[in-house]
Each structure stands twice: as C-alpha cells, then as structure tokens.
Amino acid sequence: MTEILPPGPPREPGSAADPGRLPSPVTGSTGSAAAEGPDGEIALRLRAGDPEALRLAYDRHARVVHTVALRVLQSHHDAEDVTQQVFVRAWRGRGSFDPERGGLAPWLLGITRRQIADRLALRERERAAAEGAARAGPPPPVGPRPEQVLDVVVVADELDRLPETQRRVVRLAFYDDLTQQQISSVTGLPLGTVKSHLRRGVDRMRRRWEAGGAAPGA
Amino acid sequence: MRHPGPDELVDAALSTRDPDPGTEAHLRGCPTCRAEVEALRGTAQLAREGADRPLQDPPPTVWERVVDELGPDLDTGPAAAPAGPGTVTTLPSRRRGPLLLAAAALVVGLAGGVGIGLTLGPGDPEVPDAPGAVPLVALDPGSGATGSTGLAEIGGRRILTVALEHSAVPAGGYLEAWLMDEGATRLYALGGLTAGGPDRWTGRFVLPADLPLDVLDTVDVSVEHFDGNPGHSGESLARGRAT
Ligand SMILES: [Zn+2]
C-alpha cells in the first residue's frame, strides 16, 4: 500500500499540466466517459489512493469548479472555499467514486453543486436570521441558476480543450454564424475537413454538456 | 425513411438563415432528428452564452489549502485512511523497546510527507535546503549511516527536514522518517525519504500545527519495504532530537 512518489519538481497550478495542453480524450461514440483519455486514468489512480492523481485532477478541473462557484456565489472568498472543499472531499470520498456511473469531471461537479447548494442555504439561513432580528432585512439575493452556469461553463471548457483548428471552425460556426461553405472559404480548409472538424467539435461539447449537468455525484 | 447525415443536421442546427428545404421537411416529420438538432442548438446556445467570458483559475493558494487540510490523510491507499490526521496511537507497554516495534500497532498519522511532498519539492524556494545541525546517530555504528535533521518555522508552518547518508538500502525498500517519543511507544509517520544523490536520502515535511513536538521529540529513520504494511518495520537506522 505504501508507495513512494518519484521525486520531481513542484508543480504550480496551470503550468506543467495545463488542461489545454494535455492530450485530448479520443472521441468515440461508445464506452463510458470515465474510461476515455487522461481523466479515465486519473480516476483510476485516484480511486487507488494515488495522491498525485488528486493533483492531476485539480490541474484539469479546478478551473471549472472555481468558475462555476464564482459565477453562482459571486464571491471570490466563497468560490475559493468551495474549490478547496471539492478537492478535499474528492480525496476523502474517493472510495465512493464509481467510474461505471460517469466520468471524473461530472463526479467533481456533482460535489461542486452540493457545496454551492450548502453555501447558498447557509446564506439564506443567515439572511432569515438577520431579518428575524431586524424585522426588515435585505431581499433574498438573486444569483444565476447553478445548473445554467454549470452548463455554460462546461461547454466553454470543452471548447477551450478542442484542438486548435477544430476550435477555430467551431467558433466561426457558433459565434460568427458562418455556414460550413463560408468557413471553408474563410479558412482555406477543404469543405470536408470543415465538416468533420465541426461535427467532432460540436459532438464533444454536446457530450460534455450532457454528461456534466446530469451525472450523479459521490 | 432516409435521415439526413450528421453534417446536414449540424447545418440545420447552426445555419438558421439558410435552411435546406429537404432537411426542414424531414425534421417536421422525424422526432429523432429533431431532438438531435435541438441538442446541437442547445450546445451552440450555451457556447454563445459563454463567449468572451474566460474561465478563471483559482489562485495557487487554494491547492496549498487542500494539501494543508488533508495533511497526513493525503497518503497512498485504496480507501480513506483509518487514522485521522495528526492522530498518535499508543503502543501496548509490553511492546516497548526501540527495535521491538510491532508494525501493525503503529499505524498512526499516515505518511504525511508523501502528500506534502507534492508541494514541498526539492526546488521549493521558501524552504532552506540544508537541514539543521542536529545530528542523526546510527543505532548500529557499523552501519555507517550519518545524517542530520532540522526544524524551521516558515510562514507559520513547522517544517522538518531530514537528510541521511546511507548506502545499504535494500532493493525494493526505502527509507521513512518518523517522529516518536523517548521510549518509542508513540509514533507519527512523516513519510518516505527520496533519493537526493548517491547514497543520500532527504525529506521535508510540514508538521500538523497540533502535533506535540514536546512529546514526539525524536526523529527516527527506518528501512521500510513495499509490503503493504504502513507501520514501522522495526528496522531503525538512525535517530536524533527534533528541536
Ligand atoms: Zn430523421
């Protein structure tokens, strides 16, 4: 059980293991998301209790966790607390992670959603208590809906992770509303290449959206 | 019925200005393809909502807080460690004695150094490289083991450094550092040492804030084996005072 990690230089978040620079998962229409790409391996190592896997999971997913928390809670302090708690709980609860039920990212985001919900509930209790004491508190805070924020963030994250040309084609289609023929003209890429880039890129983003919002957590 | 191909559905989902009449007609009569197009449109809509809003990494301190909170719990193992961070267990008195350490009874705070080592690598600029001047003394003078240990407080954290020169580490084995009380009845596992050169082993460990160094005042380095047993092997090489 005891295993010594190979010595190595300390890693800073977002440097050596920047998510965008890691190999992308192989796109395939079958198989569980958990089994694909680096996340599949990280998940297995995490389950096996490899501390480095927690760091790798953090490098790949802390950005999404933090961004979702920040946009919903609209507080840097709370967003950092949530991010910390998500990875602390991911480590302590790694025994409950079931790769058959979904990928690493949906599992982490399930923990994130519960942490955010707890934080919102706490705020509401504090508000209610303050209102009860003062008999006139501020109105309940209205923030963006967590589910909606989460969907937007995971899709944006997947877009960031697309290979360069795929990302460019998807952006031209989504943001500039160009047809595939127009994209071909603008980029000089053959129409068939544009079609396959667009189809693959959109497919990845869609699958990430479908897996990210709905999967059960720990 | 012939369904449009994936590219045509992508076209239908994204190019609302210039719909293909044949595909439009098909979509009106085919719930399957319509659901596909809706999913693609939903994806595009989410992407547009996220446009020009970069995702934000947490500051680096957040990872440090994760490591600090997990402490010795951040150890290897298939399940959560049974002993909580900072836990110190007591040996049955009949087993006292430096070289009679019953490994199974010594599962205390698990190898914190393994996890902590993730942030306190050899190149960490804020940690002095040279350990303090307190010597580690070989239990068996014939072993030739020599070393030193030092304790520093950096940024509010107590950091213990251990360095040992020793040539006879068996294949498949490694060196581990521990804190123990005077009678070797209570142990705290610091973690494995890493090879820092020929016959040189070093480790730096962040100590939990509540670890009682007035009791666990002895640094111990033992030879351990990859045998699945996290406890002390009983094969102590050298000891020194943690001051
Ligand atoms: Zn159809």
Side-chain angles (χ1 to χ4, degrees), chain A residues 1-2 47-49 55 58 63 66-67 70-71 80-81 84-85 91 94 148 174 177 180 199 206, chain B residues 6-7 11 14 17 36 48-49 53 56-57 59 63 65 69 73 75-79 174 226 228:
Chain A
M1 157 169 156
T2 307
R47 249 196 82 92
R55 177 61 208 225
Y58 184 92
R63 175 184 300 172
H66 179 253
T67 303
L70 185 59
R71 289 190 189 172
E80 288 166 23
D81 272 359
Q84 176 186 351
Q85 284 311 308
W91 180 255
R94 64 193 183 275
Q148 171 76 5
F174 282 11
D177 205 17
Q180 301 186 36
R199 189 177 70 240
R206 171 199 177 172
Chain B
D7 297 329
D11 256 341
L14 301 185
R17 286 177 310 181
E36 188 73 10
R48 290 189 189 107
E49 284 177 37
R53 277 188 88 184
Q56 284 168 273
D57 280 315
W63 171 252
R65 283 158 55 185
E69 180 168 353
D73 194 22
D75 179 27
T76 55
Y174 61 96
F226 290 106

Side-chain angles (χ1 to χ4, degrees), chain B residues 107-204:
Chain B
V107 183
V108 288
L110 294 169
V114 173
I116 296 302
L118 292 172
T119 47
L120 280 184
D124 192 314
E126 64 174 15
V127 181
D129 233 13
V134 182
L136 290 170
V137 179
L139 294 191
D140 169 11
S143 72
T146 61
S148 58
T149 182
L151 185 67
E153 185 163 328
I154 296 160
R157 300 185 298 179
R158 293 183 297 177
I159 294 173
L160 187 83
T161 56
V162 176
L164 196 78
E165 314 272 344
H166 181 62
S167 57
V169 177
Y174 61 96
L175 301 184
E176 182 161 1
W178 310 76
L179 280 169
M180 57 174 60
D181 64 3
E182 201 176 7
T185 59
R186 304 211 293 165
L187 275 184
Y188 182 88
L190 290 165
L193 301 183
T194 51
D199 303 332
R200 182 175 168 81
W201 300 74
T202 61
R204 295 191 193 93

Side-chain angles (χ1 to χ4, degrees), chain B residues 1-4 9 26-27 29-34:
Chain B
M1 176 163 54
R2 182 202 158 264
H3 299 283
L9 290 179
H26 176 89
L27 289 175
C30 178
T32 309
C33 287
R34 209 158 56 227

Side-chain angles (χ1 to χ4, degrees), chain A residues 150-170:
Chain A
L150 197 146
D151 288 344
V152 169
V153 171
V154 297
V155 167
D157 182 54
E158 198 63 34
L159 178 57
D160 283 347
R161 291 176 192 236
L162 293 183
E164 167 94 40
T165 311
Q166 236 178 64
R167 188 167 63 236
R168 183 161 174 231
V169 167
V170 168

